[in-house]
Amino acid sequence: MKNIILHIITSLDVGGAEKNLFNLIKKNYNDKYIHEVVFLKDKGFYYSELKKLKIKVTPLSFNKNIFLGFFKLTRISLNTNCKIIQGWMYHGNLI
């Protein structure tokens, strides 16, 4: 059975944390792990790059409706059955 890793990050714009997340997923793209990414803001540069790798990427759109964002995140975390939740930067870790 594959382990699911849920990554929570602020955005997927061009930046250091975003680049490290992309490189980590790209290098660990194998049969052992399934990566899923949720991000708090709107789509950015790495959104399309992750989609090319067939990674499930979900925007929470916290900047539009924070309550709906928390609802989506709760639904994702309960339905995903992930083994690991990885927060990126302080917003991702706080969530």
Side-chain angles (χ1 to χ4, degrees):
M1 181 168 179
K2 297 180 184 181
N3 292 318
I4 299 173
I5 302 173
L6 180 65
H7 300 275
I8 303 173
I9 192 163
T10 305
S11 74
L12 291 175
D13 292 327
V14 177
E18 295 85 350
K19 183 178 181 181
N20 284 324
L21 169 63
F22 176 73
N23 288 336
L24 175 77
I25 291 173
K26 188 175 176 182
K27 290 179 182 172
N28 285 322
Y29 192 73
N30 58 36
D31 293 334
K32 189 173 181 181
Y33 299 104
I34 297 173
H35 296 274
E36 293 189 21
V37 177
V38 295
F39 56 100
L40 308 180
K41 294 183 179 179
D42 293 327
K43 298 174 186 174
F45 173 77
Y46 286 104
Y47 178 83
S48 59
E49 298 297 314
L50 290 167
K51 292 299 262 184
K52 287 178 190 174
L53 294 176
K54 298 187 179 14
I55 301 297
K56 184 176 179 183
V57 184
T58 307
L60 297 178
S61 301
F62 268 45
N63 54 342
K64 293 180 182 172
N65 186 337
I66 193 165
F67 298 109
L68 183 60
F70 274 115
F71 176 76
K72 284 182 183 178
L73 181 61
T74 303
R75 193 182 74 223
I76 289 167
S77 63
L78 292 174
N79 292 337
T80 301
N81 195 21
C82 57
K83 298 287 183 184
I84 301 169
I85 297 176
Q86 171 66 50
W88 289 81
M89 307 275 295
Y90 54 90
H91 290 111
N93 286 314
L94 180 63
I95 299 299

